[in-house]
């Protein structure tokens, strides 16, 4: 059997090569490729049905990224020992690819389409998420599925002051910015990532740098399309049209919809008014309408809403709630709303509201991450919940969806940049944002509410963080555009851009951008970022009216935790044989103690429900790890008695020899009757020899008898005379 295998390669410019192969694997899919860099290999496939389901007026696209544990030579954990539902990490990568692909399918293409990307081989230093978008687009490029691409995605990071495309995982620890950027040959359509309080110009520079790399990867995919002979795409007809009906809908409803849009009604009243307009129009069509007519009428009415709202804004600079393009909705916030939480806040902006809590836990509360590519522990979690009642709907709860995972991740990225270090704040932190109302960006409300709750909890963040969602309405024909601050839900749905930016007064900490229109210039992007900065700072000012800095101390009911480092050599002494010592300390003090080796040091965490328990455990640990100092006086305990002296424990696990000659100023011939095991004795550390043995003395702490003093003076005088005689000679 012969194979028609085609290979293309992309040079990243520094000797690193990305290879694309098609024609070898998964040939029954409409399109399939293997993308390889180093030992990282991704298999991407795409399949799209030939016909659309009846009554579907959208693209049923599903994108799934999954990591095979065999890719890294591992067997999955759990009872089943097989890959199960997608992890949050896999969901986030799936969303990155989905958001880059979805806008570039034709608007009238409604066939069910499935893109699957599998990590089939792993390289611990080459991150697969930066290759997933390229793999998915390449699979479509070698198929006959209609697509206005190709596109690609790259990671851009600034490391040691230099911008780098798809950096090694080991280098990311030094990055001051890190973004995944997606786009086509002409335009950028998706950005997501985080940064260390950078300026707007630095973000634009990074996006431009990423776009140059994307253009090269798109060009290679076009070559792949030609090489596979897939330049002709399938024909389809997934939308019927009725131009006469369309004209009727516009003529009967446009002016009414425009008037409602201009009336500045609240969200639900506006929705009800639009529904009434459509209901009245449908009634004019007569009874017993065919489903196809109702379907088209609703579609055309949605087009009327789209045009009316956009024209109102572009022509009159009037938004649905009456604001101009730069105005922020009214804000109020409150902290310490929940008395039993370690930290809590309510943040309300217009018709969007978040009730957020902060819980502080010990090392035992860390989240274990067990993935095929990434594994370890996570000390900071942010969970976002979006119940149906927040939008006035009734629907069953089906667990956490991809939207909740994505929104929570964006808020987590925004806030984690201002968290204190592990030694400054040894707590495991969990933030939970429950959205109680939603009309506009609830993820940005989560950022604001999370910041307030952290400060209420007493967590020493470096600076408060706020977030804002920006929108764009544009008209390619006239060149008119309007950048909108603090967008409503309808403005997001009917607009051309959803751009969320978070940051402190010093700069940007995270951003997420999705574009639904071609041709956004970097000048407009810069303008949007600068307008977002003004909005962020305004929101930050409103937040600081409630609380401007973290509380000086944690709340009384917050469990206490302290972290400190010890020398590596003492880790075993603290744990004890078989964990005996650490278990005894936990049992007797009531504290929870954890210790691990990091950077050639022992990192100790003590977690307790009250201060007395905490102090007791800490003092016992420090007594074990303290180093004896020559000249210090200790209250020791006799551990054993020998003919030549006694061994005295001056610190836990540290014994020294109290020689018989150092017990008293008088001379003893024997140790009989002087001490018994367990006696407490006050001693001074005289010396530590090269072997680490401790020399103790008790007599130097006792008053010296007079005759002993005279004898010493005579001996000293004799020594001095002898020395002078020798010198004279």
């Amino acid at each position: 059997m012969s194979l028609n295998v085609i290979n293309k390669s992309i040079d990243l410019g520094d000797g690193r090569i990305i290879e694309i192969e098609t024609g070898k694997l998964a040939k029954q899919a409409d399109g399939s490729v293997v993308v390889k860099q180093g030992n990282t290999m991704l298999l991407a496939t795409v399949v799209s049905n030939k016909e659309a389901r009846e009554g579907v007026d959208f693209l049923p696209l599903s994108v799934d990224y999954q990591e095979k544990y065999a890719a890294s030579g591992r067997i999955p954990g759990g009872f089943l020992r097989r890959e199960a539902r997608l992890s949050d990490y896999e969901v986030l990568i799936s969303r990155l690819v989905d958001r880059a692909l979805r806008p570039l399918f034709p608007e009238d293409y409604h066939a069910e389409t499935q893109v699957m990307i599998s990590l089939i081989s792993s390289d611990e230093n080459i991150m697969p998420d930066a290759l997933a978008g390229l793999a998915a687009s390449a699979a479509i490029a070698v198929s006959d599925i209609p697509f206005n691409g190709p596109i690609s995605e790259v990671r851009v990071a600034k490391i040691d002051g230099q911008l780098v495309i798809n950096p090694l995982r080991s280098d990311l620890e030094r990055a001051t910015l890190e973004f995944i950027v997606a786009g086509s040959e002409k335009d950028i359509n998706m950005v997501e990532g985080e940064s260390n309080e950078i300026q707007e110009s630095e973000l634009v520079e990074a996006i431009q740098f990423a776009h140059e790399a994307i253009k090269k990867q798109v060009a290679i995919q076009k070559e792949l399309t030609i090489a596979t002979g897939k330049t002709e795409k399938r024909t389809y007809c997934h939308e019927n049209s009725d131009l006469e009906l369309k004209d009727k809908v516009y003529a009967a409803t446009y002016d009414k919809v425009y008037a409602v849009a201009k009336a500045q009604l609240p969200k639900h009243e506006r929705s009800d008014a639009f529904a009434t307009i459509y209901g009245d129009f449908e009634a004019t069509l007569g009874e017993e309408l065919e489903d196809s007519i109702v379907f088209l009428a609703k579609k055309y009415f949605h087009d009327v809403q789209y045009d009316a709202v956009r024209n109102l804004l572009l022509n009159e600079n009037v938004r649905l709630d009456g604001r101009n393009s730069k105005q922020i909705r009214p804000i109020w916030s409150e902290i310490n709303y929940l008395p039993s939480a370690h930290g809590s806040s309510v943040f309300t902006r217009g018709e969007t509201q978040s009730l957020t809590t902060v819980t502080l836990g010990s090392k035992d509360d860390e989240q274990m991450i067990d993935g095929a590519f990434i594994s370890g522990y996570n000390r900071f979690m942010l969970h976002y919940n979006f119940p149906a009642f927040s939008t006035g709907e009734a629907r069953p709860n089906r667990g956490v969806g991809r939207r909740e995972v994505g929104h929570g991740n964006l808020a987590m990225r925004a806030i984690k940049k201002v968290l204190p270090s592990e030694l400054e704040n040894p707590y495991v932190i969990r933030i939970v944002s429950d959205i109680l109302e939603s009309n506009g960006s609830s993820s940005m409300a989560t950022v604001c509410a999370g910041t307030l709750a952290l400060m209420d909890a007493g967590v020493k963040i470096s600076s408060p963080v706020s977030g804002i969602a920006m929108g764009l309405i544009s008209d390619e024909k006239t060149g008119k555009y309007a950048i909108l601050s603090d967008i409503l839900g309808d403005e997001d749905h009917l607009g051309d851009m959803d751009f969320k930016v978070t940051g402190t007064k010093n700069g940007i900490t995270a951003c997420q951008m999705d574009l639904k229109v071609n041709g956004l210039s970097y000048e407009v992007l810069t303008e949007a970022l600068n307008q977002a900065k003004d909005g962020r700072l305004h929101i930050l000012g409103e937040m600081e009216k409630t609380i401007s800095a973290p509380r000086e101390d944690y709340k009384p009911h917050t469990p206490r935790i302290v972290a400190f480092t010890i020398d590596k050599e003492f880790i075993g002494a603290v744990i004890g044989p078989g964990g005996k010592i650490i278990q005894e300390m936990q049992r007797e003090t009531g504290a929870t103690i954890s210790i691990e080796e990091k950077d050639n040091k022992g990192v100790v965490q003590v977690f307790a429900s009250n201060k007395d328990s905490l102090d007791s455990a800490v003092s016992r640990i420090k007594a074990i790890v303290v180093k004896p100092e020559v000249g210090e006086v200790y209250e020791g305990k006799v551990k054993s008695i020998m003919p030549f002296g006694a061994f005295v424990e001056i610190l836990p696990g540290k014994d020294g020899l109290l020689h018989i000659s150092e017990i008293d100023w008088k001379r003893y011939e024997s140790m009989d009757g002087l001490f018994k095991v367990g006696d407490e004795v006050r001693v001074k550390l005289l010396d530590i020899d090269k072997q680490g043995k401790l020399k103790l003395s008790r007599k130097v702490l006792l008053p010296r008898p007079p005759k002993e003093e005279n004898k010493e003076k005579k001996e000293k005088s004799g020594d001095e005379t002898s020395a002078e005689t020798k010198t004279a000679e």
Side-chain angles (χ1 to χ4, degrees):
M1 179 179 179
S2 62
L3 296 175
N4 182 25
V5 180
I6 298 172
N7 293 279
K8 295 289 180 179
S9 62
I10 301 167
D11 190 344
L12 292 176
D14 55 1
R16 292 178 296 146
I17 301 294
I18 299 173
E19 301 172 62
I20 307 177
E21 175 188 88
T22 187
K24 183 179 289 187
L25 302 184
K27 297 190 298 299
Q28 292 193 43
D30 289 330
S32 71
V33 299
V34 172
V35 171
K36 180 180 180 182
Q37 183 184 348
N39 287 337
T40 291
M41 296 174 67
L42 295 175
L43 169 65
T45 62
V46 59
V47 175
S48 186
N49 291 340
K50 296 295 190 293
E51 301 296 333
R53 293 198 307 266
E54 189 175 345
V56 173
D57 63 346
F58 63 93
L59 174 65
L61 172 66
S62 61
V63 178
D64 291 313
Y65 167 86
Q66 187 173 43
E67 296 179 345
K68 304 298 184 180
Y69 277 73
S72 54
R74 299 181 56 208
I75 295 175
F79 180 77
L80 296 177
R81 298 290 179 182
R82 68 176 298 167
E83 289 81 4
R85 63 178 296 274
L86 299 185
S87 67
D88 285 0
Y89 175 72
E90 291 166 320
V91 166
L92 292 170
I93 297 176
S94 300
R95 279 174 51 85
L96 287 174
V97 178
D98 185 306
R99 288 159 45 207
L101 297 178
R102 191 176 292 273
L104 293 180
F105 283 94
E107 288 186 7
D108 60 350
Y109 188 75
H110 304 322
E112 187 163 354
T113 304
Q114 184 181 52
V115 176
M116 296 186 66
I117 310 142
S118 301
L119 177 69
I120 56 176
S121 179
S122 177
D123 186 319
E124 64 179 13
N125 221 10
I126 297 175
M127 302 186 69
D129 56 350
L131 303 173
L134 168 63
S137 178
I140 299 173
V142 300
S143 76
D144 66 344
I145 299 169
F147 186 62
N148 297 321
I151 61 96
S152 192
E153 288 181 339
V154 299
R155 170 177 276 104
V156 58
K158 180 169 280 189
I159 300 169
D160 301 330
Q162 299 295 318
L163 290 172
V164 182
I165 296 297
N166 293 356
L168 298 177
R169 183 184 179 191
S170 57
D171 292 333
L172 277 180
E173 295 178 358
R174 308 196 309 277
T176 55
L177 65 82
E178 177 201 346
F179 294 95
I180 293 285
V181 181
S184 65
E185 187 176 41
K186 295 181 179 179
D187 302 305
I188 292 298
N189 67 352
M190 196 281 298
V191 178
E192 180 165 326
E194 59 192 64
S195 55
N196 295 351
E197 299 176 282
I198 64 171
Q199 299 306 303
E200 283 70 15
S201 59
E202 197 172 352
L203 174 56
V204 174
E205 179 190 17
I207 294 173
Q208 288 178 307
F209 186 79
H211 196 195
E212 293 305 312
I214 288 169
K215 290 176 183 178
K216 296 176 183 177
Q217 297 185 9
V218 167
I220 295 298
Q221 291 179 66
K222 288 186 173 181
E223 293 179 13
L224 198 63
T225 299
I226 294 171
T228 55
K230 294 294 184 179
T231 53
E232 294 294 324
K233 304 301 178 181
R234 70 178 64 167
T235 58
Y236 64 94
C237 181
H238 296 166
E239 276 191 8
N240 295 317
S241 61
D242 186 335
L243 297 181
E244 182 180 348
L245 177 61
K246 182 177 182 179
D247 290 341
K248 281 184 180 180
V249 174
Y250 266 79
T253 65
Y254 181 86
D255 290 342
K256 296 176 182 178
V257 169
Y258 194 95
V260 169
K262 194 175 180 178
Q264 304 176 26
L265 297 175
K267 174 183 175 181
H268 291 294
E269 291 182 30
R270 182 170 62 248
S271 297
D272 291 343
F274 285 151
T276 299
I277 293 171
Y278 173 75
D280 292 344
F281 170 76
E282 187 178 300
T284 66
L285 298 177
E287 299 179 359
E288 298 183 3
L289 293 173
E290 295 181 8
D291 291 342
S292 59
I293 297 297
V294 174
F295 177 83
L296 285 174
K298 288 181 177 179
K299 176 184 180 301
Y300 294 144
F301 183 71
H302 178 270
D303 294 342
V304 168
Q305 291 177 275
Y306 181 85
D307 289 341
V309 172
R310 293 165 65 89
N311 290 337
L312 174 66
L313 211 153
L314 290 173
N315 297 332
E316 301 188 44
N317 193 29
V318 174
R319 299 170 66 175
L320 290 171
D321 57 0
R323 289 178 292 150
N324 64 36
S325 60
K326 296 183 179 180
Q327 280 181 302
I328 311 298
R329 288 171 290 176
I331 293 170
W332 69 264
S333 58
E334 181 179 341
I335 58 169
N336 200 29
Y337 182 73
L338 303 174
S340 296
H342 298 158
S344 65
S345 70
V346 180
F347 178 85
T348 306
R349 183 195 62 244
E351 296 173 298
T352 299
Q353 183 178 77
S354 170
L355 172 63
T356 293
T357 58
V358 166
T359 306
L360 304 178
S362 71
K363 183 174 178 58
D364 291 343
D365 296 310
E366 286 181 330
Q367 179 188 26
M368 185 175 72
I369 301 171
D370 182 29
F373 179 70
I374 293 179
S375 59
Y377 292 89
N378 181 25
R379 299 183 62 254
F380 174 47
M381 297 160 277
L382 193 152
H383 296 147
Y384 164 100
N385 299 315
F386 192 82
F389 66 76
S390 65
T391 55
E393 300 173 83
R395 63 174 182 267
N397 292 323
R398 300 299 187 196
V400 178
R402 293 190 176 195
R403 181 181 182 278
E404 284 85 349
V405 173
H407 280 42
N409 180 69
L410 176 60
M412 180 275 295
R413 283 181 149 182
I415 292 174
K416 79 174 184 179
K417 293 296 182 179
V418 299
L419 292 177
S421 68
E422 184 174 348
L423 284 178
E424 293 172 312
N425 179 79
Y427 287 102
V428 170
I429 301 173
R430 182 183 185 230
I431 298 177
V432 178
S433 171
D434 290 303
I435 302 304
L436 307 185
E437 297 180 48
S438 181
N439 182 18
S441 179
S442 51
S443 64
M444 296 297 94
T446 295
V447 171
C448 300
T451 297
L452 293 171
L454 282 169
M455 291 193 287
D456 180 50
V459 176
K460 302 300 185 291
I461 60 174
S462 59
S463 187
V465 183
S466 63
I468 188 171
M470 307 294 294
L472 174 71
I473 303 289
S474 63
D475 187 337
E476 291 185 38
K477 294 179 181 178
T478 64
K480 291 181 179 180
Y481 69 90
I483 298 169
L484 311 179
S485 296
D486 181 23
I487 57 174
L488 301 170
D490 285 343
E491 291 171 337
D492 179 11
H493 176 62
L494 300 173
D496 300 322
M497 178 181 74
D498 177 14
F499 192 0
K500 300 181 179 72
V501 191
T502 73
T504 68
K505 62 183 178 182
N506 301 317
I508 296 170
T509 59
C511 88
Q512 181 186 94
M513 179 176 73
D514 292 296
L515 276 173
K516 310 167 192 173
V517 66
N518 297 328
L520 178 68
S521 69
Y522 286 107
E523 289 76 18
V524 175
L525 176 60
T526 301
E527 183 182 344
L529 281 168
N530 289 330
Q531 187 170 319
K533 180 179 180 180
D534 294 337
R536 274 195 298 110
L537 295 178
H538 168 78
I539 294 170
L540 202 56
E542 295 298 304
M543 292 165 57
E544 289 179 341
K545 292 177 182 178
T546 301
I547 184 171
S548 59
R551 293 182 185 273
E552 288 299 318
D553 193 11
Y554 305 113
K555 295 181 181 180
H557 59 279
T558 300
R560 298 291 157 157
I561 189 170
V562 66
F564 53 93
T565 60
I566 62 175
D567 289 343
K568 178 182 175 181
E569 63 188 276
F570 293 121
I571 294 177
V574 174
I575 296 173
K580 178 181 178 182
I581 293 176
I582 195 170
Q583 290 171 9
E584 181 180 305
M585 286 191 290
Q586 291 184 123
R587 184 173 59 253
E588 294 180 357
T589 65
T592 299
I593 304 168
S594 68
I595 182 169
E596 62 180 336
E597 183 182 337
K598 280 186 180 179
D599 301 325
N600 214 31
K601 287 278 189 180
V603 178
V604 180
Q605 286 192 3
V606 183
F607 186 84
S609 59
N610 60 75
K611 190 174 184 300
D612 290 341
S613 177
L614 183 82
D615 291 345
S616 175
V618 170
S619 63
R620 292 180 64 164
I621 294 170
K622 289 189 173 180
I624 294 173
V625 303
V626 67
K627 292 184 177 180
E629 295 185 20
V630 174
E632 285 293 315
V633 177
Y634 298 95
E635 296 292 338
K637 182 181 289 188
V638 176
K639 301 296 286 185
S640 63
I641 300 172
M642 308 297 288
F644 50 82
F647 284 98
V648 179
E649 185 182 56
I650 60 171
L651 292 169
K654 296 178 178 64
D655 299 348
L657 175 61
L658 177 60
H659 194 268
I660 192 170
S661 64
E662 293 293 337
I663 294 175
D664 204 330
W665 290 104
K666 65 178 71 173
R667 183 182 178 86
Y668 293 108
E669 298 295 335
S670 159
M671 290 294 295
D672 294 342
L674 294 181
F675 296 112
K676 61 180 182 294
V677 174
D679 281 353
E680 294 185 357
V681 55
R682 194 163 179 261
V683 294
K684 183 175 182 178
L685 178 58
L686 298 181
D687 188 28
I688 304 176
D689 67 15
K690 292 181 180 180
Q691 286 75 40
K693 295 179 179 179
L694 312 182
K695 181 180 179 182
L696 308 176
S697 176
R698 175 176 175 268
K699 75 178 184 181
V700 297
L701 302 177
L702 302 175
R704 179 180 296 176
K707 63 179 182 180
E708 293 290 340
E709 292 179 9
N710 293 335
K711 180 180 178 181
E712 185 178 301
K713 286 179 181 179
K714 287 179 182 180
E715 290 175 352
K716 185 177 181 182
S717 176
D719 291 343
E720 290 174 351
T721 302
S722 175
E724 289 172 0
T725 302
K726 288 180 181 178
T727 302
E729 291 174 353

